[in-house]
Amino acid sequence: MNKYLDLGGEVAEALAKGLPVVALESTIISHGMPYPQNVETALMVEAAVREAGAVPATIAILGGRLKAGLDRSQITALGLRGREVVKASRRDLPRLVASAGGPAPMDGATTVAATMIVAALAGIRIFATGGIGGVHRGAESSFDISADLEELAITEVAVICAGAKSILDLPKTLEYLETKGVPVIGWRTDEFPAFYTPHSGLRLEEHADDAADIARRLKAKWGLGLGGGAVIANPIAEADAMDKLVIDAAIEDALKDAASKGVKGKDVTPFLLAKVKELTGGESLESNIALVLGNARLAAAIAVEYAKLK
Ligand code: PSU
Ligand code: MN
């Protein structure tokens, strides 16, 4: 066990017994959704993982300690503080962890990248979230490419998501993942989903229809010593999806607003998420909650099958 990491009691027990565990991120709680829906969703997601036969491990940094497995009060505190909590990606981990030994131990909410790192340290291979970060539109001049993609290239954790939001440049995001050797597996689809809608028009080469099949592919990837992660792209259910015209218009407005305000760096994604939610009057939040729950269920099913292979 890494000396900077604490496992929650239930998570430690499950891992010791080789039972299925699903990692969950915390930036989606602090920066991805408003209070109180963020806390309600995080707790519902944990319940959905349990119902599907796995143990949830929500990941964050509290008082400078890496945590895999938060309790209800810890999740609630992160949700209440929201964007005051440090959004922690790979490069933020050292200073946050070092703060434990200083006068002011810090808290951090982990992005997809940082959650993958902590999950891997804990021995958790399966991780559910809403959407991954990617190559931003205009990256050819801004150089804005999420550290999530680099992490998927090197860290052995599979991320179950609803694709990526079209706040990003989805074709470039898929090209990047191909370059880095990251499998992108469509769940019962041949198309990369666009988060709020099941369709992006972008074809995937790989699809799977059952969780056992995905588990075997992950086993093969890591058994081959290839390292790195995988993206399991689970389209939002049609019933929960947004109207494409409505969401596209909101995203265009949000992007213009971000550009005119000069939003940069790690603030870009949270700014766009909040703006889209504001512009769609909360409809996007409902879709977001529904798709995260769907991803949690699929991740648990994959974790159950993966545990059988050990
Ligand atoms: N996309 C979403 N919801 C989110 C995020 C992305 O639809 O909550 C969060 C995730 O934590 C992701 C992070 O890892 O934003 C990516 O931020 P950046 O683009 O700064 O790498
Ligand atoms: Mn960025």
Side-chain angles (χ1 to χ4, degrees):
M1 256 280 284
N2 189 279
K3 66 175 179 176
Y4 299 110
L5 173 65
D6 301 321
L7 302 179
E10 201 189 350
V11 173
E13 200 185 320
L15 289 171
K17 291 183 179 158
L19 298 175
V21 178
V22 172
L24 301 162
E25 64 152 311
S26 47
T27 295
I28 190 174
I29 304 174
S30 61
H31 291 66
M33 289 184 189
Y35 181 84
Q37 289 91 345
N38 56 358
V39 172
E40 287 162 14
T41 304
L43 296 173
M44 282 195 295
V45 164
E46 289 213 335
V49 168
R50 281 204 178 88
E51 257 166 54
V55 171
T58 300
I59 288 175
I61 302 148
L62 299 179
R65 298 287 303 171
L66 306 180
K67 303 279 183 191
L70 300 189
D71 64 25
R72 194 187 181 91
S73 68
Q74 291 168 325
I75 288 175
T76 305
L78 278 180
L80 271 167
R81 285 171 59 205
R83 286 165 75 168
E84 279 170 37
V85 181
V86 175
K87 173 182 163 188
S89 196
R90 167 174 275 267
R91 73 169 179 181
D92 305 295
L93 294 180
R95 79 181 155 108
L96 289 169
V97 164
S99 77
M106 293 169 75
D107 297 337
T110 50
T111 63
V112 168
T115 303
M116 288 177 73
I117 293 168
V118 177
L121 286 175
I124 304 168
R125 300 279 194 162
I126 311 292
F127 163 23
T129 188
I132 53 167
V135 179
H136 280 260
R137 298 204 211 172
E140 58 276 25
S141 56
S142 69
F143 276 39
D144 190 351
I145 298 174
S146 175
D148 292 352
L149 298 184
E150 228 29 67
E151 209 58 53
L152 282 160
I154 60 176
T155 299
E156 298 190 358
V157 172
V159 181
I160 291 78
C161 64
K165 292 197 168 89
S166 51
I167 57 171
L168 302 171
D169 186 322
L170 299 184
K172 286 195 182 73
T173 299
L174 288 178
E175 290 291 351
Y176 200 95
L177 290 167
E178 183 187 344
T179 301
K180 295 292 181 173
V182 180
V184 181
I185 306 173
W187 174 250
R188 299 180 177 169
T189 182
D190 292 310
E191 193 180 350
F192 191 60
F195 197 90
Y196 295 117
T197 72
H199 307 294
S200 67
L202 299 163
R203 297 255 123 323
L204 294 178
E205 284 169 38
E206 205 176 337
H207 94 260
D209 296 321
D210 78 53
D213 193 14
I214 293 175
R216 284 193 301 273
R217 291 187 211 180
L218 296 173
K219 194 82 180 169
K221 177 175 168 67
W222 296 323
L224 284 165
L226 294 176
V231 174
I232 319 300
N234 179 25
I236 188 170
E238 290 284 359
D240 300 315
M242 289 189 71
D243 184 300
K244 189 176 181 321
L245 295 176
V246 171
I247 192 64
D248 285 354
I251 286 171
E252 289 301 332
D253 285 357
L255 287 165
K256 273 185 210 139
D257 200 32
S260 75
K261 293 198 164 95
V263 182
K264 294 237 159 26
K266 72 198 283 183
D267 295 332
V268 172
T269 298
F271 179 91
L272 293 172
L273 298 178
K275 198 76 203 170
V276 166
K277 196 225 130 208
E278 184 190 313
L279 291 168
T280 58
E283 196 194 333
S284 64
L285 182 58
E286 276 176 42
S287 296
N288 202 341
I289 293 169
L291 67 84
V292 178
L293 287 169
N295 296 342
R297 289 185 201 106
L298 176 57
I302 296 168
V304 166
E305 294 301 328
Y306 191 82
K308 289 183 193 162
L309 297 177
K310 277 182 186 163

